[in-house]
Amino acid sequence: MENKMNIENTQSQMRRGILEFCILSVIRRGEAYPSDIVEEMKESKLQVLEGTLYPLLTRLKNAGMLTYRWVESNSGPPRKYFSLTDQGETFYKQLEGTWNELANAVNKLKNKEESLKPVTEETAAPMQDPNTETEEQPQ
Amino acid sequence: MENKMNIENTQSQMRRGILEFCILSVIRRGEAYPSDIVEEMKESKLQVLEGTLYPLLTRLKNAGMLTYRWVESNSGPPRKYFSLTDQGETFYKQLEGTWNELANAVNKLKNKEESLKPVTEETAAPMQDPNTETEEQPQ
DNA sequence: ATACAGTACTATGTGTTACAAAGTACCGTA
DNA sequence: TACGGTACTTTGTAACACATAGTACTGTAT
């Protein structure tokens, strides 16, 4: 019964669907390897963790949206530098459209006025006090 | 290996984290029962299905964010009219803040210029042609 | 009264996916 | 040759949207 419903979780849920889009957006601006991406996302106040990013990149690569090449590093093992394929570019543009529509819809919804429907109770017959928290079925 | 990666799925994922916020936003403007909400969301281009909405409302109610009362209908069984509790109002405002930050971050990210980092290959030693899709580890 | 269709709500199973945490492998330096 | 840092991988868990089927109440036609 008791439910947590903490903000962190909800924030994480909100990021969820947008991560893919954001990561494609970062890679689109130029080849990047995972730690680059984590860093840039953090700067943009969009946290991503390694355990999230790696599987996501693999998924996008297997779907043909990304390619990578190995590049040596002088401070550790070689890195996978990712870049968008043509298909990835197309996909990105579709996602951009989706994001714009979504953001627009949400903003319209949340700014909507205290609409014209002030509780249209068809028969206007409240069966229970609004403040009573009963679980029973009516009747 | 082969991956689907269809737009519908991603769109659904994008909606995912935002649904809770949108539904609270609808209820906040005045008591509403589930079919009301489904309808209003559809008008706003934010599809929600019954199977999604009912559990979500139950979850929010169990967390103390919503209350409901039964109201008779003359075209079927009685309806559960939901409204925000004080706690729900507070929660909504937090989510609104989260949404604003998120939307802002995404828009900044996607409009960022072709930044100043044109593939900073530390040693500038590509180990593989970018267009070759090999799975092998280097060396 | 009885069957039927419409509306409202409930319950269950499935797939996707973010995150946590532990593990593997490569590199340069002491 | 041991050690610390960096890069990548793997596995398990929990949250949640969605599809689907099911229950229950209502008014209307037979």
Side-chain angles (χ1 to χ4, degrees):
Chain A
M1 232 7 141
E2 287 296 308
N3 220 321
K4 14 184 184 179
M5 200 112 257
N6 52 337
I7 295 286
E8 296 98 45
N9 181 31
T10 307
Q11 288 176 328
S12 163
Q13 292 297 330
M14 278 198 187
R15 266 197 308 275
R16 188 188 177 102
I18 294 167
L19 272 186
E20 213 167 87
F21 172 56
C22 290
I23 285 160
L24 285 174
S25 179
V26 170
I27 295 175
R28 188 168 181 254
R29 285 207 304 279
E31 282 186 305
Y33 78 105
S35 301
D36 267 351
I37 299 174
V38 169
E39 194 50 41
E40 179 146 4
M41 294 289 280
K42 200 190 292 171
E43 281 170 23
S44 299
K45 310 275 184 202
L46 294 159
Q47 181 203 37
V48 211
L49 303 183
E50 277 202 331
T52 302
L53 183 58
Y54 282 98
L56 197 155
L57 291 173
T58 303
R59 187 159 25 98
L60 286 166
K61 190 222 129 212
N62 288 340
M65 306 300 176
L66 297 177
T67 347
Y68 65 83
R69 58 181 182 134
W70 288 99
V71 175
E72 281 182 357
S73 160
N74 52 20
S75 64
R79 300 162 176 174
K80 277 186 175 178
Y81 272 83
F82 287 87
S83 55
L84 263 67
T85 60
D86 289 349
Q87 200 189 340
E89 181 70 28
T90 305
F91 187 62
Y92 173 82
K93 281 174 188 155
Q94 284 182 288
L95 290 190
E96 191 174 22
T98 301
W99 163 255
N100 288 336
E101 281 175 31
L102 188 74
N104 191 27
V106 172
N107 286 328
K108 260 200 278 190
L109 190 71
K110 95 183 162 69
N111 296 326
K112 220 169 176 180
E113 284 307 307
E114 188 90 17
S115 73
L116 312 157
K117 83 176 154 46
V119 192
T120 47
E121 308 175 18
E122 290 189 17
T123 57
M127 304 179 70
Q128 194 181 21
D129 187 275
N131 297 325
T132 313
E133 296 221 346
T134 324
E135 200 58 82
E136 318 305 326
Q137 285 286 329
Q139 208 269 341
Chain B
M1 233 4 145
E2 287 298 308
N3 220 322
K4 16 188 184 179
M5 200 109 260
N6 52 336
I7 295 286
E8 296 98 45
N9 182 30
T10 307
Q11 288 176 328
S12 164
Q13 292 297 332
M14 279 198 186
R15 267 197 306 275
R16 188 190 176 103
I18 295 166
L19 272 185
E20 212 169 88
F21 172 56
C22 290
I23 285 161
L24 285 174
S25 178
V26 169
I27 295 175
R28 188 168 180 253
R29 286 206 303 279
E31 280 186 307
Y33 78 104
S35 302
D36 267 351
I37 300 174
V38 170
E39 193 52 40
E40 180 147 4
M41 293 288 279
K42 200 189 292 173
E43 282 171 22
S44 299
K45 312 275 185 199
L46 293 159
Q47 181 203 36
V48 211
L49 304 183
E50 278 200 331
T52 300
L53 184 58
Y54 281 99
L56 197 154
L57 290 172
T58 303
R59 188 159 25 99
L60 286 167
K61 191 222 129 216
N62 288 341
M65 306 300 175
L66 298 177
T67 346
Y68 66 84
R69 58 182 182 133
W70 288 99
V71 175
E72 280 181 359
S73 159
N74 52 18
S75 64
R79 299 162 176 174
K80 278 186 174 177
Y81 273 81
F82 286 88
S83 55
L84 262 65
T85 61
D86 289 349
Q87 200 188 342
E89 182 71 27
T90 305
F91 188 61
Y92 173 82
K93 281 174 187 156
Q94 285 183 287
L95 291 190
E96 191 175 21
T98 300
W99 163 254
N100 288 336
E101 281 174 30
L102 188 74
N104 191 26
V106 173
N107 286 329
K108 260 201 277 190
L109 191 70
K110 96 182 160 70
N111 296 326
K112 220 171 178 180
E113 284 307 307
E114 188 90 17
S115 75
L116 312 157
K117 85 176 152 46
V119 191
T120 48
E121 307 175 16
E122 290 190 19
T123 57
M127 305 182 67
Q128 195 181 22
D129 188 274
N131 296 325
T132 313
E133 296 222 345
T134 322
E135 201 57 84
E136 318 307 324
Q137 285 286 330
Q139 209 273 340

